Amino acid sequence: MTTAPMQTTRQGPAIEIAGPMRDRYDEILTREALAFLTELHHRFASRRHDRLADRMRRRFEIGNGHDPQFREDTAHIRQDTTWQVAGAGPGLEDRRVEITGPTDPKMTINALNSGARVWLADQEDATSPTWKNVIEGQLSLRDAIRGELSFTSSEGKEYRVTAERTPTIVMRPRGWHLPEKHLAFIDRAGRRTSASGSLVDFGLYFLHNAQALIEGGRGPYFYIAKLESSEEAKLWDDVFSFSEEYIGIPHGTIRATVLIETLPAAFEMDEILYELRDHCAGLNAGRWDYIFSIIKNYRGRGARFVLPDRSEVTMTVPFMRAYTELLVQTCHKRGAFAIGGMSAFIPNRRDPEVTARAVEKVSADKKREAGDGFDGTWVAHPDLIPTAQAEFDAVLGDRPNQIDRQRDDVHVEARDLLDLHIGRPITAQGVRDNVSVAIRYLEAWLRGLGAVAIDNLMEDAATAEISRSQVWQWIHQDRTTQDGTPITVEYVEGLIGEVLDEVERREGDRFDDAAEIFREVALREEFPTFLTLGAYSRFLIDED
């Protein structure tokens, strides 16, 4: 292993490697790949910073009483009924069940053997962004696409891809806000900044795999996370167009599915589709980050915007119904797929009662989605694929989608997306669950695990964000629990102590660090926009 910096030999802009070079990393961080990343950053890094500044301005406006609205300056796009998106690329024609998960070798093989139609290969919320996970995830994908992937566990169990037909891979890079501090971009003036996690994840996967994917009858496909505006979508579209030209493949070969998982994006679905129309396959209802986005934007706006226990914020509450029905209508009007979200319930092969409850919950969730017009959905566990597929088969039959179902019956206005009234209390158990889940998830995240089963639910960065942001809001809005207990910093500190006393401690665990992070993102006066930003810089850099 070497830690010596390496950079491109060209004059001017360059990407420099600051992280350690371990076994096979040179197969991913090739000179050609570094040159491509350099071009991406040279052309698009400053626009990325502009878009992030726009986000800060928008949050400030909402926090000061200016509710988001459907934009007047883009009304002509919404009103024009003639334009359509590119739609499905080869291998994306039928997306009725998609499995999500991180890209380590074992999970990659399990996903490819799962029987799902699509695998969301997740370098974002289901992956802790350690240097090891970032680069070795790319190696897993490279090997899998070439039919070369195998894995042997520490217990000696061998894993291989045995499925005759593997899912179409749709890779999810990190959002625009996340840096990659193990790579530095040096611009023409010699200024050094951290690379963009988005451009790194996208660039490495695209450069190494686009041609092989096309030759295999599919293509370079991406899930785009955390978008907040059509201007951010335009930035991605320009990245795609440049990248296609860079390696000499036809314009429009790339297909992107955008997660509508922020409140501002829900007001710009048509516009996002329009800006990405040559590269767009559809939209996804990213439910967990969407809830987090609402809490984040309205955290200081008073009691009317305070949500109850996380478990009470279901897909059937008014604002979530409005959001999902508008998504289906918007997609189908433009020839785009509408993909449903992930129910957090997961089975437990050692506990039949837990499994039965998970199947019941997931079945109801997918029946609702299929009935609402979604063309496919997500699951987080292979055992749930038959349950989800049965509900979509019942509606779709032999059809690959239901884009022809236009949902002309849907009429969603801005106030519907902001109707946060649920009428349920905040319970002492709800507060405790948030503290417990967030700390236990963060402990696993610090050990390199991005998707974790906790209390028979699949938790990732998005669900942890809900947990900590609710605690912050409840404290700052002077909420009380159903039994009249004020939710204060002192009260939550007591819960942190209880959680740390109850968890099973092991040598080398990260619970103390996790509790410290939780205090920083849930108990301090300032509200960090993402819990992962500070924790990444503080805990995941030096350890690599």
Side-chain angles (χ1 to χ4, degrees):
M1 180 178 74
T2 177
T3 58
M6 183 174 98
Q7 68 181 54
T8 57
T9 58
R10 54 175 288 166
Q11 296 296 316
I15 289 287
E16 182 179 283
I17 301 174
M21 292 292 289
R22 300 189 176 102
D23 184 40
R24 295 190 64 200
Y25 283 26
D26 58 349
E27 296 178 35
I28 298 299
L29 297 168
T30 62
R31 292 197 177 277
E32 294 79 10
L34 294 176
F36 181 52
L37 292 182
T38 298
E39 287 292 342
L40 290 177
H41 284 79
H42 174 59
R43 292 170 182 269
F44 302 111
S46 63
R47 287 175 59 188
R48 166 184 174 251
H49 289 296
D50 290 343
R51 299 291 76 78
L52 294 177
D54 290 343
R55 290 184 180 184
M56 293 178 61
R57 188 160 48 248
R58 191 179 301 111
R59 280 195 301 275
F60 178 81
E61 291 171 352
I62 295 173
N64 281 275
H66 298 281
D67 290 336
Q69 299 289 331
F70 296 106
R71 290 170 57 168
E72 293 183 7
D73 63 323
T74 57
H76 63 285
I77 293 174
R78 298 192 299 276
Q79 294 164 3
D80 183 351
T81 61
T82 63
W83 63 268
Q84 298 272 291
V85 302
L92 285 179
E93 299 88 354
D94 188 328
R95 305 179 63 171
R96 66 188 68 199
V97 181
E98 304 187 357
I99 191 166
T100 74
T103 56
D104 59 275
K106 177 182 174 181
M107 295 302 290
T108 296
I109 292 170
N110 286 344
L112 294 177
N113 286 333
S114 68
R117 302 298 178 99
V118 169
W119 172 39
L120 187 160
D122 196 3
Q123 291 285 86
E124 202 233 2
D125 274 356
T127 291
S128 173
T130 64
W131 182 233
K132 179 179 186 293
N133 286 345
V134 168
I135 301 303
E136 294 182 19
Q138 294 280 350
L139 280 167
S140 293
L141 291 166
R142 178 207 172 280
D143 291 350
I145 288 164
R146 290 159 178 80
E148 300 170 359
L149 183 63
S150 63
F151 174 71
T152 303
S153 70
S154 57
E155 297 80 20
K157 184 177 180 180
E158 294 187 356
Y159 294 81
R160 296 185 183 279
V161 178
T162 57
E164 290 185 12
R165 186 187 186 282
T166 58
T168 299
I169 298 172
V170 182
M171 186 268 208
R172 177 161 69 164
R174 284 168 283 180
W176 281 130
H177 61 290
L178 289 169
E180 176 45 70
K181 290 181 176 290
H182 296 93
L183 293 170
F185 173 57
I186 298 97
D187 66 14
R188 288 193 183 279
R191 290 170 298 205
R192 179 189 179 96
T193 57
S194 296
S196 159
S198 297
L199 295 178
V200 168
D201 294 345
F202 163 80
L204 293 176
Y205 178 77
F206 176 81
L207 188 78
H208 288 300
N209 301 304
Q211 291 288 1
L213 288 163
I214 294 167
E215 291 168 6
R218 298 179 182 179
Y221 304 143
F222 298 91
Y223 259 109
I224 302 303
K226 306 290 191 292
L227 285 195
E228 294 199 9
S229 69
S230 57
E231 286 79 10
E232 292 185 22
K234 174 61 174 170
L235 176 54
W236 268 117
D237 192 71
D238 289 344
V239 169
F240 296 157
S241 295
F242 166 75
S243 300
E244 289 165 336
E245 183 180 1
Y246 187 89
I247 68 167
I249 61 176
H251 177 77
T253 302
I254 292 173
R255 288 291 192 276
T257 304
V258 177
L259 291 109
I260 302 298
E261 56 183 350
T262 67
L263 179 64
F267 287 85
E268 298 190 34
M269 293 189 207
D270 265 308
E271 292 88 337
I272 287 168
L273 288 172
Y274 181 80
E275 295 296 355
L276 280 162
R277 60 194 181 280
D278 289 350
H279 295 107
C280 198
L283 303 178
N284 170 275
R287 60 179 73 175
W288 304 116
D289 266 305
Y290 188 73
I291 295 169
F292 165 54
S293 177
I294 287 175
I295 299 168
K296 176 165 59 175
N297 280 285
Y298 280 90
R299 66 189 185 276
R301 288 279 299 273
R304 184 163 68 93
F305 299 99
V306 175
L307 297 176
D309 290 1
R310 184 184 121 179
S311 61
E312 299 287 354
V313 188
T314 67
M315 298 304 295
T316 60
V317 301
F319 73 93
M320 295 300 282
R321 286 294 293 162
Y323 147 71
T324 53
E325 292 203 310
L326 179 61
L327 187 147
V328 172
Q329 181 190 54
T330 304
C331 283
H332 289 182
K333 179 172 61 177
R334 305 302 182 184
F337 282 62
I339 306 299
M342 186 183 74
S343 174
F345 294 94
I346 54 173
N348 184 330
R349 292 171 180 173
R350 295 183 296 275
D351 190 329
E353 290 186 11
V354 169
T355 296
R357 179 168 177 262
V359 168
E360 179 184 3
K361 293 286 188 180
V362 171
S363 178
D365 186 62
K366 304 316 172 189
K367 182 176 183 177
R368 174 192 53 78
E369 287 181 332
D372 284 348
F374 281 95
D375 303 291
T377 192
W378 283 6
V379 297
H381 194 287
D383 290 356
L384 294 175
I385 290 173
T387 299
Q389 181 154 328
E391 297 299 342
F392 274 84
D393 286 349
V395 172
L396 293 177
D398 294 332
R399 296 178 299 157
N401 59 68
Q402 51 183 331
I403 289 176
D404 59 342
R405 189 176 172 201
Q406 293 290 294
R407 292 305 310 269
D408 294 330
D409 57 309
V410 171
H411 303 284
V412 173
E413 299 183 10
R415 65 174 179 267
D416 300 316
L417 294 171
L418 300 175
D419 179 8
L420 305 188
H421 178 72
I422 296 178
R424 301 292 296 167
I426 302 167
T427 68
Q429 188 62 48
V431 183
R432 195 184 195 287
D433 286 346
N434 277 1
V435 175
S436 176
V437 165
I439 289 175
R440 286 188 286 165
Y441 174 79
L442 283 166
E443 193 276 334
W445 186 86
L446 289 169
R447 291 187 288 107
L449 301 175
V452 188
I454 299 176
D455 297 336
N456 301 307
L457 297 174
M458 184 59 73
E459 307 285 351
D460 66 7
T463 54
E465 290 281 25
I466 297 173
S467 296
R468 68 94 180 184
S469 61
Q470 281 199 307
V471 170
W472 190 98
Q473 187 183 37
W474 292 338
I475 291 171
H476 285 79
Q477 294 298 321
D478 299 319
R479 298 294 89 196
T480 61
T481 62
Q482 188 177 21
D483 60 12
T485 303
I487 304 172
T488 63
V489 170
E490 293 73 22
Y491 176 66
V492 175
E493 277 285 3
L495 296 177
I496 293 172
E498 291 178 17
V499 169
L500 292 178
D501 287 342
E502 292 177 5
V503 295
E504 182 179 350
R505 301 299 297 262
R506 295 184 177 88
E507 184 177 354
D509 72 40
R510 306 298 298 273
F511 281 109
D512 293 333
D513 290 335
E516 185 176 347
I517 294 171
F518 181 78
R519 291 186 179 98
E520 291 175 355
V521 299
L523 301 187
R524 291 191 175 179
E525 192 67 27
E526 182 181 353
F527 182 88
T529 54
F530 291 95
L531 67 82
T532 48
L533 281 172
Y536 170 74
S537 296
R538 184 172 177 185
F539 291 101
L540 296 191
I541 307 302
D542 293 340
E543 294 183 6
D544 284 312

